[in-house]
């Protein structure tokens, strides 16, 4: 069965190996270029006429498109695996009738399915894991500079979480194919379901996997410097784009006075004189505060392991259903 599975899968495996090799070369050159630029950025404070803010902005704009394009490709890889490796795995056999040839030998249906699942799932994990680790290495100076590892795009394309996505997508495609028994509908359903997971998990599930840290922060000049500025929302004044170094900020940061009441724009107008330093000092003297909820930076790897475990668990449940289904629902 191993030899037969390899014969059926070798075209996809060789294609994936070629693409992986090409991307590995690209990411190697990209990673080296990023490191050279990062070294120049580090030396900037010691170079006459070099502005560190301008240098950092140039560094981000120079490599953001390349890393974004590669990240988008990596996000698409599990979906491609589920659609083109998982969905046809059973349906192709059923549509051509080749499964009968195997099942009429001494090979049981369970063993037939187990060999197919294990070999292709391992290949899915190896391809996706290699791409993820290469991208993580190439982008590490860029990510360290931005300190935004919880960003939905970065989180889904770095380290170990993509391995869970790939295995889950493959098992999902196989299970859908086992139920639908037609290749094209199975591919479409797999793609739609997996895309739904990719949207719902970062937007709805991930923020609540671990209860966030919630604390009250005094509105000071330093706090203002950690935000993009002040904004008005529903008549309330709030800090826009407030960040905690390396953390994932979840809540809006509405300013309140000492009595806990929201303040309005009119409450701040006497401080807005056009001098940034004096305006900030005046605002700080008003004894304002805001409440912020966030996931601390040191929880990053906990989230990565949890997401890997959850997607592998889902894949295991789907595989269990497939093993239950194969002796009963397929003739």
């Amino acid at each position: 069965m191993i030899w037969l599975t390899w014969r059926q899968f070798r075209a996809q495996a060789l294609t994936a190996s070629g693409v992986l090799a090409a991307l590995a070369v690209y990411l190697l050159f990209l990673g080296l270029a990023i490191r050279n630029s990062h070294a120049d950025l580090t030396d900037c404070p010691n170079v006459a006429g070099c502005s560190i803010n301008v240098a950092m902005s140039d560094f981000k704009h120079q490599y953001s498109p390349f890393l974004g394009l590669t990240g988008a490709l990596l996000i698409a890889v599990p979906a491609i695996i589920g659609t083109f490796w998982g969905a046809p795995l059973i349906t192709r056999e059923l549509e051509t009738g080749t499964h009968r040839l195997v099942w009429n030998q001494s090979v049981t249906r369970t063993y037939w399915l187990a060999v197919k699942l294990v070999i292709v799932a391992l290949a899915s994990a190896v391809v996706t894991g290699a791409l993820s680790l290469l991208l993580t290495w190439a982008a590490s100076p860029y990510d360290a500079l931005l300190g935004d590892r919880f960003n939905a795009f970065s989180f889904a394309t770095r380290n170990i979480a993509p391995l869970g996505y790939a295995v889950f997508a493959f098992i999902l495609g196989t299970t859908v194919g086992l139920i639908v028994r037609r290749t094209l509908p199975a591919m479409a359903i797999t793609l739609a379901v997996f895309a739904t997971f990719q949207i719902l998990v970062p937007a709805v599930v991930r923020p609540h996997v671990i209860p966030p840290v919630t604390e009250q922060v005094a509105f000071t000049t330093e706090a203002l410097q950690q935000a993009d500025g002040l904004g008005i929302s529903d008549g309330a004044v709030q800090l826009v784009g407030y960040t905690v170094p390396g953390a994932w900020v979840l809540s809006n940061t509405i300013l309140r006075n000492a009595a806990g009441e929201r303040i309005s724009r009119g409450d701040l107008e006497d401080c807005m004189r056009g001098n940034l330093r004096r305006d900030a000092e005046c605002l700080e003297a008003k004894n304002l505060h805001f409440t912020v909820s966030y996931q601390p930076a040191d929880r990053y790897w906990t989230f990565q392991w949890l997401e890997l475990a959850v997607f592998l668990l889902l894949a295991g449940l789907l595989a269990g259903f497939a093993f239950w289904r194969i002796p009963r629902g397929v003739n």
Side-chain angles (χ1 to χ4, degrees):
M1 269 306 301
I2 295 176
W3 176 84
L4 176 61
T5 302
W6 163 247
R7 290 275 298 178
Q8 292 175 324
F9 182 64
R10 64 180 177 180
Q12 296 97 312
L14 293 175
T15 302
S17 300
V19 173
L20 180 61
L23 285 173
V25 173
Y26 168 74
L27 287 171
L28 178 63
F29 280 102
L30 180 61
L32 294 175
I34 289 176
R35 279 159 175 74
N36 288 334
S37 298
H38 188 262
D40 294 338
L41 183 64
T42 305
D43 293 336
C44 180
N46 303 321
V47 177
C50 182
S51 168
I52 186 64
N53 290 331
V54 173
M56 288 179 64
S57 178
D58 291 343
F59 178 77
K60 292 176 186 176
H61 285 95
Q62 182 178 0
Y63 293 107
S64 178
F66 298 104
L67 293 173
L69 182 63
T70 312
L73 177 62
L74 183 53
I75 285 181
V77 165
I80 293 171
I81 287 174
T83 304
F84 293 97
W85 290 8
L89 191 72
I90 302 298
T91 57
R92 184 178 52 199
E93 301 267 7
L94 298 178
E95 288 176 341
T96 58
T98 52
H99 62 294
R100 296 192 184 92
L101 178 64
V102 180
W103 293 356
N104 287 327
Q105 308 300 316
S106 58
V107 177
T108 65
R109 299 184 183 194
T110 302
Y111 181 67
W112 174 80
L113 180 63
V115 172
K116 285 178 171 291
L117 288 184
V118 170
I119 290 179
V120 186
L122 282 176
S124 304
V126 168
V127 170
T128 309
L131 277 177
S132 175
L133 294 179
L134 282 167
L135 179 58
T136 301
W137 170 81
S140 55
Y142 181 90
D143 292 341
L145 183 68
L146 292 184
D148 193 20
R149 295 192 300 172
F150 278 108
N151 175 282
F153 187 80
S154 298
F155 187 91
T157 57
R158 309 285 197 273
N159 297 304
I160 57 175
L163 276 74
Y165 307 153
V167 175
F168 168 72
F170 165 68
I171 301 293
L172 173 67
T174 304
T175 307
V176 171
L178 190 60
I179 297 171
V180 177
R181 304 188 193 183
R182 292 289 183 273
T183 299
L184 286 179
M187 294 170 74
I189 293 171
T190 299
L191 186 60
V193 172
F194 183 72
T196 302
F197 268 87
Q198 288 294 73
I199 294 171
L200 290 181
V201 168
V204 179
V205 179
R206 192 180 299 155
H208 308 291
V209 170
I210 302 175
V213 174
T214 301
E215 59 184 26
Q216 202 174 83
V217 181
F219 178 75
T220 61
T221 304
E222 289 74 19
L224 183 59
Q225 290 173 345
Q226 289 181 229
D228 296 332
L230 295 174
I232 308 293
S233 177
D234 296 330
V237 180
Q238 67 176 28
L239 279 175
V240 177
Y242 179 75
T243 59
V244 178
W248 181 13
V249 177
L250 302 173
S251 66
N252 291 322
T253 46
I254 296 175
L255 294 182
R256 299 177 185 274
N257 58 24
E261 300 168 338
R262 293 186 176 190
I263 62 171
S264 65
R265 184 173 183 175
D267 297 326
L268 304 179
E269 285 184 346
D270 58 323
C271 289
M272 301 303 182
R273 303 296 175 84
N275 184 308
L276 292 179
R277 185 178 64 81
R278 291 183 179 179
D279 290 353
E281 291 174 351
C282 177
L283 292 171
E284 185 175 336
K286 287 183 175 293
N287 194 24
L288 303 176
H289 68 273
F290 57 91
T291 301
V292 59
S293 296
Y294 63 95
Q295 298 288 357
D298 59 5
R299 290 183 179 177
Y300 174 79
W301 277 103
T302 302
F303 274 88
Q304 280 275 327
W305 281 108
L306 280 174
E307 198 138 317
L308 173 65
V310 167
F311 274 91
L312 290 181
L313 177 62
L314 291 174
L317 292 174
L318 289 173
F321 174 80
F323 281 112
W324 174 84
R325 175 78 174 176
I326 193 74
R328 296 171 175 82
V330 181
N331 297 318

